[in-house]
Amino acid sequence: MMTSPPGFWTRILRALRYVAPAILGILAAVWMGGMREPLPRQEPSPASLQEDRNGILRLPQHASPKNPIETAVATKLRLARDVEVVGSVSYDADHFAEVGPLIAGRIVSLEVGTGDSVKSGQVLASLESAEVGQAQAAYLTARAGAMAAQANLRRERELAERRVSSERERELAEAHAAIEDANLAAATQRMRALGLRPEDIKVLERSGGWPGRVSLVSPIAGVVLSRKVSLGQSVQAATSAFQVANLSWLWVELELFEKDLSAVSKDQKVVLRTEVYPGKTFPARVAYVGQVIDEKTRTAQVRIEFQNAEGLFRPGQFVTATLVGDPEKTMAEVLAVPRKAVQTLEGKPLVFVAETDGTFRKRTVELGLSGGGQVEIRSGLAPGERVATDGAFLLKSELLR
């Protein structure tokens, strides 16, 4: 009978003490796995695509109704280059007014505040001035003198016709009346120069009006953007008291580089976009193209004019302006496809060409100019080939999976 070497069983027991937990863990995992239900087989995505080794994308039949892919034919057409640039909205200078006194004085009444809507000819404030009082007094004096001279002239003419008065006296009366009329015209012109309106002068004639007062009037209809004066404040001539603007008409100020100026002309069609209203476009036109290049920025000023009837835009807002090219000014035809057909993969532009069997083949292309929603294809595509448009991004997304 064989005998175990000394300490043999002791070593076996020590080994089992370390191995036993691992064995029990394996057995428990196997037992738990048998209790679980098998995972359901993951169905492929309805829009899933298969790509073979030749770069052909196959769309499963059941995916077509849910994710239709539209195509367009690559054709030759006249293509004018669009110019896209970011600009800022500003006031239309033809619908903007700075309102202030023409003479020094003191503000005695305020009729409107910032943000108020005003009409053309509406009184914004009243100013009291000694100079206006002197002008009003001079006008009333001149008016009285002119009226007296006219009455005297009528009397002398009647007497001359009856041969009661001499011809010389009639001539002197006519000369005096002419002088008084000239004095009245000068007094009227002085009051107009101080800011008094014809209706103010009529009130002065009837009742004496408000001695020494003149109204600050808005020359346009619009919104009061700012009020820079307070009640009782003393102001000087040409002080900017109010800013009024009609925000229904606005400008967009652009700065274009020299290389883009040849593609821009006055009255050119423009499409405006803003992140505030994604997906919406707003029509506009080029109102002015600058004739001078800034020496530092190498750009020229271009002004866009558009109607803001709904009040969606505000001065200072940034917008993206697309100056739409005119194909009629382009002589040569180029091969082009819709801009949405072109995708970018690893920094290279590509399109998905539709095959006759319903598959799509990815193809790298070289792009040229773009305009009117079309982009020129300089190489990589032949006339008549069909490319994916709506759904091209889906093809690219599935290609990257």
Side-chain angles (χ1 to χ4, degrees):
M1 183 176 180
M2 295 181 62
T3 59
S4 301
F8 173 78
W9 292 107
T10 302
R11 289 193 296 269
I12 291 297
L13 291 175
R14 289 178 179 175
L16 289 175
R17 185 173 60 185
Y18 292 104
V19 175
I23 295 175
L24 291 175
I26 294 173
L27 292 175
V30 172
W31 180 77
M32 291 297 292
M35 296 295 292
R36 295 178 180 175
E37 295 182 0
L39 294 174
R41 185 173 61 88
Q42 187 174 359
E43 295 294 334
S45 172
S48 62
L49 299 166
Q50 293 83 38
E51 180 185 7
D52 64 16
R53 296 179 180 178
N54 297 322
I56 296 179
L57 300 173
R58 303 179 184 278
L59 185 66
Q61 294 183 355
H62 65 275
S64 298
K66 297 181 179 180
N67 302 277
I69 297 179
E70 303 292 335
T71 60
V73 179
T75 57
K76 285 192 172 183
L77 47 80
R78 291 183 178 180
L79 191 62
R81 180 168 66 95
D82 292 347
V83 177
E84 188 170 283
V85 62
V86 176
S88 60
V89 179
S90 63
Y91 305 111
D92 186 335
D94 296 331
H95 298 85
F96 178 85
E98 292 271 4
V99 182
L102 301 177
I103 54 173
R106 184 173 63 89
I107 301 295
V108 293
S109 69
L110 292 170
E111 308 299 333
V112 298
T114 302
D116 290 348
S117 297
V118 296
K119 299 178 180 179
S120 177
Q122 182 174 337
V123 176
L124 308 181
S126 295
L127 181 78
E128 189 176 71
S129 170
E131 187 175 352
V132 173
Q134 294 172 0
Q136 290 174 332
Y139 172 80
L140 293 175
T141 300
R143 181 170 179 267
M147 293 175 64
Q150 289 294 331
N152 180 61
L153 176 60
R154 288 193 296 272
R155 183 169 56 255
E156 290 296 333
R157 284 176 176 173
E158 291 176 0
L159 294 175
E161 289 177 357
R162 290 184 294 174
R163 298 184 181 278
V164 175
S165 175
S166 66
E167 191 68 20
R168 175 177 172 76
E169 291 177 340
R170 182 184 64 81
E171 292 175 351
L172 290 174
E174 290 178 348
H176 180 66
I179 292 173
E180 292 299 330
D181 287 343
N183 291 336
L184 177 61
T188 303
Q189 183 60 34
R190 184 186 178 192
M191 288 210 302
R192 295 294 302 274
L194 295 178
L196 277 82
R197 301 166 295 169
E199 50 265 41
D200 296 331
I201 297 175
K202 290 181 179 180
V203 172
L204 179 66
E205 292 173 351
R206 291 196 301 267
S207 59
W210 289 93
R213 290 192 177 187
V214 61
S215 300
L216 302 184
V217 178
S218 175
I220 62 172
V223 177
V224 178
L225 301 178
S226 67
R227 191 186 76 184
K228 304 177 183 179
V229 294
S230 302
L231 192 64
Q233 179 180 342
S234 296
V235 295
Q236 300 299 317
T239 299
S240 178
F242 297 88
Q243 286 185 333
V244 181
N246 182 354
L247 300 182
S248 297
W249 291 94
L250 294 174
W251 286 350
V252 176
E253 302 286 352
L254 305 177
E255 292 186 358
L256 265 65
F257 290 103
E258 296 177 79
K259 63 181 181 65
D260 296 325
L261 290 176
S262 60
V264 181
S265 60
K266 186 178 179 182
D267 295 324
Q268 184 174 347
K269 179 182 176 181
V270 180
V271 176
L272 300 179
R273 295 179 177 84
T274 174
E275 294 180 354
V276 180
Y277 307 105
K280 297 186 67 175
T281 59
F282 305 88
R285 71 175 188 92
V286 176
Y288 169 77
V289 180
Q291 303 299 315
V292 179
I293 301 295
D294 187 279
E295 295 181 356
K296 295 181 179 180
T297 62
R298 308 309 304 171
T299 60
Q301 295 289 327
V302 175
R303 186 172 68 236
I304 306 300
E305 186 180 79
F306 70 101
Q307 192 170 5
N308 185 36
E310 298 180 6
L312 300 179
F313 291 87
R314 299 180 180 182
Q317 185 176 348
F318 285 107
V319 296
T320 299
T322 301
L323 285 68
V324 181
D326 186 0
E328 297 298 328
K329 297 181 180 180
T330 305
M331 300 302 295
E333 292 185 344
V334 296
L335 182 64
V337 297
R339 186 176 302 176
K340 56 187 175 182
V342 180
Q343 302 296 318
T344 302
L345 185 63
E346 297 179 352
K348 297 180 180 180
L350 60 85
V351 296
F352 295 97
V353 181
E355 303 290 346
T356 56
D357 59 355
T359 60
F360 294 89
R361 184 189 298 271
K362 64 178 181 180
R363 190 180 299 174
T364 303
V365 294
E366 180 185 356
L367 304 181
L369 58 87
S370 64
Q374 302 284 326
V375 59
E376 177 188 2
I377 303 296
R378 292 182 176 175
S379 64
L381 201 61
E385 290 188 296
R386 302 191 72 89
V387 295
T389 53
D390 293 331
F393 183 77
L394 172 64
L395 294 174
K396 173 187 172 181
S397 299
E398 296 295 335
L399 181 63
L400 294 174
R401 286 190 177 185

